[in-house]
Amino acid sequence: MAQWARPAIRALRLWGPGGELAWARRPRFAGARPPTCLSAGVASVFGNGGDRTQELFLQDVAELIRAKACQRVVVMVGAGISTPSGIPDFRSPGTGFYSSFQHCDVPYPEAIFELTFFLHNPRPFFTWAKKMYPGNYRPNVIHYFLRLLQDKGLLLRLYTQNIDGLERAAGIPDSRLVEAHGSFASATCTVCGRAAPVEGFWAEVMGDRVPRCAVCTGVVKPDIVFFGEALPQRFLLHVVDFPSADLLLILGTSLQVEPFASLSEAVRSSVPRVFMNQEAAGSLAWRPRSRDVLQLGELVDSVDKLVELLGWTEELKDLVQRETGQLSGRDR
Ligand SMILES: [Zn+2]
């Protein structure tokens, strides 16, 4: 993960008028809703004659989707969508992956994702990687909600910070996916730069061996973005995706990692932003917009609520049953 991947405290100070103090001064994010100006298109959906003081709620967003007023949905997701699959959040005290390295030969938890430390001692990273073996974790209802968006032709692009591959496992096609921090789907030699076969990589990792290049014996690293590394080329799609989006869904991310976090500001100001997370965070907390909808609390509950408002509950249930049945079948 690159230098941008540091917690975006610096960005908060730079961007927030008054920085963190400005954030603290915004009491309306304790639960109250900011006022909203609906666009002409939105007003026509609700038939309110253009009441520009009407607030936007989750139900309104569901109506916009149902009325096909939003058909180019960009989604940003983080670790929070994977915790219901049993993958602990990296940074959760006591339960996160970082905590599990406190007793290993690691100077500080983040070091396992730093190239310098990795080249010095790759074993802690591969110990962690072993836990992420494809198939160890399954997509959950949130991943399948995103799949449903795709199946209905509403998903313009899904930007994920997760490297667990559960979006792919849920059936989101590569063309709709931007794995902003890379994935385990490919691997590269850290010395000669040759692509290494993923099957061989996993065979070594599962056997508790450090995978090495068949050509130069250099350590092979999955194409996960470490601190100090460049983001995948596909991340550049944001330049066209966000300005053309008509709805932004942000799920399960505290928006702490740059430049990913800043994407939340890249949609047009008229575009509704729906933020579902345990707590308010990032620019939606310290620089809110009039069309923001904050749905705070348990993420699965929030997604369930939106699905219900959309009238997709049965359809989603069927999809989950069908897909989890297929995944189980592949294991046999
Ligand atoms: Zn090599």
Side-chain angles (χ1 to χ4, degrees):
M1 295 175 202
Q3 287 171 352
W4 47 260
R6 305 289 187 192
I9 299 300
R10 195 180 308 158
L12 284 173
R13 290 195 181 120
L14 284 174
W15 296 350
E20 290 159 289
L21 285 176
W23 183 357
R25 281 199 300 267
R26 294 183 186 279
R28 62 189 182 186
F29 276 88
R33 296 273 322 130
T36 291
C37 298
L38 298 179
S39 68
V42 175
S44 65
V45 170
F46 299 118
N48 62 7
D51 176 8
R52 300 182 69 81
T53 62
Q54 186 173 336
E55 295 179 5
L56 203 60
F57 294 99
L58 197 61
Q59 183 164 0
D60 305 325
V61 173
E63 284 299 320
L64 288 170
I65 296 172
R66 287 166 70 103
K68 300 195 184 305
C70 294
Q71 299 186 78
R72 297 187 307 278
V73 183
V74 168
V75 185
M76 298 169 62
V77 300
I81 76 159
S82 292
T83 45
S85 291
I87 300 178
D89 189 321
F90 272 20
R91 295 178 178 81
S92 301
T95 58
F97 277 137
Y98 279 8
S99 303
S100 64
F101 288 102
Q102 282 175 348
H103 305 295
C104 298
D105 183 22
V106 179
Y108 46 94
E110 291 90 341
I112 72 163
F113 299 111
E114 289 184 355
L115 210 49
T116 312
F117 180 76
F118 176 79
L119 295 174
H120 163 71
N121 179 14
R123 286 197 177 275
F125 170 79
F126 288 116
T127 301
W128 170 79
K130 189 176 177 181
K131 298 178 188 172
M132 300 303 295
Y133 181 73
N136 277 1
Y137 298 101
R138 299 289 174 78
N140 61 61
V141 70
I142 303 168
H143 297 100
Y144 287 118
F145 161 66
L146 302 176
R147 162 74 184 277
L148 206 51
L149 275 181
Q150 153 66 19
D151 288 355
K152 290 176 177 293
L154 298 169
L155 182 66
L156 177 59
R157 207 86 63 189
L158 169 57
Y159 287 75
T160 180
Q161 297 173 94
N162 301 334
I163 44 81
D164 49 45
L166 292 183
E167 297 87 0
R168 288 167 184 261
I172 306 289
D174 285 356
S175 61
R176 294 291 167 192
L177 193 57
V178 173
E179 292 167 316
H181 296 168
S183 77
F184 282 102
S186 57
T188 305
C189 172
T190 52
V191 176
C192 72
R194 284 183 174 85
V198 181
E199 302 75 25
F201 167 83
W202 280 117
E204 293 298 289
V205 171
M206 298 313 283
D208 294 322
R209 294 178 297 272
V210 172
R212 295 199 173 268
C213 176
V215 179
C216 77
T217 73
V219 176
V220 169
K221 172 184 155 300
D223 294 338
I224 288 172
V225 182
F226 275 27
F227 290 107
E229 290 191 302
L231 268 64
Q233 283 286 315
R234 280 184 65 74
F235 187 74
L236 290 174
L237 283 170
H238 77 82
V239 174
V240 285
D241 285 347
F242 281 73
S244 59
D246 53 20
L247 174 64
L248 176 61
L249 298 183
I250 307 171
L251 311 179
T253 170
S254 299
L255 296 172
Q256 288 188 359
V257 177
E258 293 292 356
F260 191 92
S262 295
L263 294 181
S264 63
E265 299 227 72
V267 290
R268 290 166 290 140
S269 59
S270 59
V271 170
R273 302 187 300 180
V274 178
F275 184 60
M276 294 183 179
N277 197 41
Q278 285 283 357
E279 55 195 11
S283 66
L284 283 95
W286 54 260
R287 194 152 74 184
R289 294 180 180 178
S290 58
R291 287 175 181 80
D292 289 348
V293 176
L294 270 74
Q295 193 71 34
L296 306 181
E298 288 299 322
L299 190 55
V300 170
D301 295 342
S302 297
V303 170
D304 272 351
K305 186 173 179 186
L306 177 58
V307 168
E308 189 182 339
L309 291 167
L310 286 164
W312 296 356
T313 303
E314 285 305 311
E315 212 172 335
L316 181 58
K317 202 182 291 180
D318 290 347
L319 176 65
V320 170
Q321 280 180 354
R322 202 165 59 240
E323 289 295 318
T324 50
Q326 280 183 8
L327 283 174
S328 302
R330 283 179 212 146
D331 290 346
R332 283 196 288 270

